[in-house]
Amino acid sequence: MSIFTQCLNPITGTSTWEEKDQDYDYHQEVARSAFADMLHDHERNQKYYVALEAAIRKKHEAGEEANVLDIGTGTGLLSMMAARCGADTITACEAFKPMALCAARIIKENGFGDKIKLIHKRSTEMTVGNNGDMPKKANILVTEVFDTDLIGEGALSTFRHAHETLLEKDSIVIPNSGTMWVQVVESKSVCAWNRIEPIRDVGTQRILVDAASSIKSCSGAAAVHDIQLTRLPHNEFKPLLPPQPIFRFDWSGHTPLKYDDKVCLNVLPIENGTAHAIFMWWDLNMDTEGKVLLSCAPVWEHPDVKKLPHNNINLDEQADLIPWRDHWMQAIYYLPSEIQLSINEEVCLVGYHDEYSFWFDVQKGPKEHVSDCDRPICSCCVHIAYSRTRIGQLNDKKRNNKYIKALSKKIQPNSTCVCFSDGCLLGLAAAQLGAKKVYLLETNFLSQKTIEMFVKTNNLKEKVEIVETVDNLPPADTVDLIFGEPYFISSIVPWENLRFWYLASQYSSQIQRIPIAATIKAVAVEFKDLHKIRAPLGVCEGFDLSSFDKLIQASSDKSDSPLEAQPLWEYPARALSSPFVIKTFDLYTNVYDHKRVQISDDVPILQNGSCNGVALWVDWQLDSEISVSCGPTQEIVPGKRISWDRYTRQGVHIFRNIKDVSCEDLLSWSFAFAPQHGSIELQFKIISRKQNKNG
């Protein structure tokens, strides 16, 4: 039996009804719960294993039983580790029912069914005593309830409740403690993800579009910016303060955990500069002796890297030596206001946290005179309307200059322009370049409010009109230029920005337009790590977790697209083929005049390697001379790592069955496009040249 669900087609902009499995919501929830990349984290697994073994041994040497409680067991991995280490009793709890059932199956298949008691509850709902979930309190707690923010998944309340209700007084807790580290930096590159800079004319450098004072003074979004900081080029930021351990959380229960806290540290800067942002990461002391440390530090501060001899080892090579994690990244906190720091003037670094989040400030003067800083809330709409990636794109000077050059060629003093893009500041630039009238289609309310502020700030009310619906667009005989970046908030993968083509097709092909063409391109790659987010586990640390693979795979097949969007600059990939063209679209034509497209081809593999994915992007041809790519920033060379555009997300196909490939192999691909429905399908597989000849 199936059900029909209403879905927005991001390419056509229309809502359609799609037939789905009757358990689609269930499968989607299960697929989203996948955490295979975490279980592929061998260092994490091993350090939990070592800490568990030490805790159980310590209890036994003291003449006590080792009674383990595993909170949020997931697949049951940590509970099975405890069983293998000789724990006397093990109670595991898992609130998410599909995962709890999967854990029960895995535990039984690995021969621990009579050793581990599984409770289908949240730990905060568990009871102790006769007829309770546990007959007596545990004396060892093992849990992994951390996210990139450390406490964002409710770690504070989980540990506090466990100590109050579920654990004996002198229990051993794994991990034993956690420390949040921060580093104040100067970085214009980092600021590009947070504050909108003026857009200038290419030739005269006069400001074409400036941001409102309310945008410039906005403290930004409350959420920190999760990012793989290790991949940020080291020459694009300058540390101004040495790394500071600003909050330490004692999970052991010896020191009470506070839901709200404030810390002030007097610190002497190590460099002169402007404090723009704070880099954040954390580490865990896994054992009671502090011998087992699990660090999430970026490469330049990672304790394992600091032990290495630095002769002839560059940062990229160092980065390849530290554990990769997508479940625990680093983060950027954008300071509410810039502050000048000097190496001879001590400053106060202020940190705050509530039950789930952190925020910070840097102030001059002694900590006795520090004023309180509230948790930041966006008051300007920009940080709510647009993603970090989009804000960075709005600040991309090279990209903006290309659009301004293309616009300058087409715009005349009497030009009337229609702009099809969400939050398009370049549409305002068109008005400043001399267009008589610019119509901006803005169907998203928050984006609309944001652009209204820009229109007002730049005194463009007479020349720029915001249009809320397609029905209110100006008639064709009054329009001289159709323009778009293209960018749409509803678009996920790059080719969904072909929404521009559908909107432009409402007008005659005789009207000039920018861009004039779009080309979908791709390349076969070997991801260093990204494929682990979808790779099956099989045997993990000696335990068979194939039932978890089957659960996730079955639900993913029913609810996930085989193509997803990723910021590939954060995830190193080596090219195994030359880049190739899948399809070029002439944007001057009417999309509805096209018939269904069905094409396929084979691309030679040019480098030996593990072909675990295909990366895809779109090149936009603005005119006969100027193009903009949302893909590579340098020429792709087979065998070399690819440099990706930092301000867009690329499309990714990850192979589930990863193959080692050689120059005897081919990447076979097929592409289908139904213009009337706005549906695009892409499929990839690896075949041998011999198979291709016989086929």
Side-chain angles (χ1 to χ4, degrees), residues 70-233:
D70 175 8
I71 293 179
T73 193
T75 60
L77 178 65
L78 298 181
S79 287
M80 292 189 293
M81 286 180 177
R84 187 170 285 176
C85 290
D88 295 282
T89 67
I90 305 158
T91 303
C93 69
E94 175 58 54
F96 186 46
K97 186 176 180 181
M99 194 56 62
L101 295 173
C102 181
R105 193 178 312 119
I106 289 171
I107 289 167
K108 183 178 180 181
E109 288 170 350
N110 282 273
F112 298 107
D114 59 347
K115 189 73 176 175
I116 300 168
K117 181 181 181 182
L118 185 62
I119 307 298
H120 298 195
K121 286 183 180 180
R122 294 182 182 277
S123 63
T124 51
E125 297 170 347
M126 290 177 64
T127 57
V128 179
N130 293 333
N131 301 317
D133 299 309
M134 295 193 299
K136 59 182 178 180
K137 292 182 177 182
N139 60 7
I140 297 174
L141 169 64
V142 63
T143 186
E144 194 281 271
V145 286
F146 311 111
D147 63 356
T148 293
D149 286 356
L150 183 61
I151 59 174
E153 289 186 359
L156 293 176
S157 57
T158 298
F159 282 107
R160 203 153 106 170
H161 176 269
H163 283 294
E164 291 171 351
T165 309
L166 306 175
L167 299 176
E168 293 179 0
K169 187 175 181 181
D170 294 320
S171 293
I172 298 175
V173 177
I174 305 167
N176 186 68
S177 65
T179 303
M180 175 59 71
W181 292 79
V182 294
Q183 185 172 36
V184 177
V185 300
E186 174 184 89
S187 175
K188 285 291 186 183
S189 295
V190 163
C191 282
W193 283 305
N194 189 55
R195 297 199 185 281
I196 296 179
E197 296 295 320
I199 296 176
R200 297 179 182 272
D201 189 3
V202 180
T204 65
Q205 288 302 298
R206 71 183 175 99
I207 292 177
L208 297 176
V209 183
D210 202 359
S213 57
S214 60
I215 294 174
K216 292 178 180 179
S217 62
C218 180
S219 58
V224 295
H225 182 186
D226 295 2
I227 195 170
Q228 297 281 0
L229 271 180
T230 286
R231 295 300 163 186
L232 185 68

Side-chain angles (χ1 to χ4, degrees), residues 105 132 172 174 432 467 624 673:
R105 193 178 312 119
I172 298 175
I174 305 167
Q432 297 283 39
V467 180
S624 59
F673 173 49

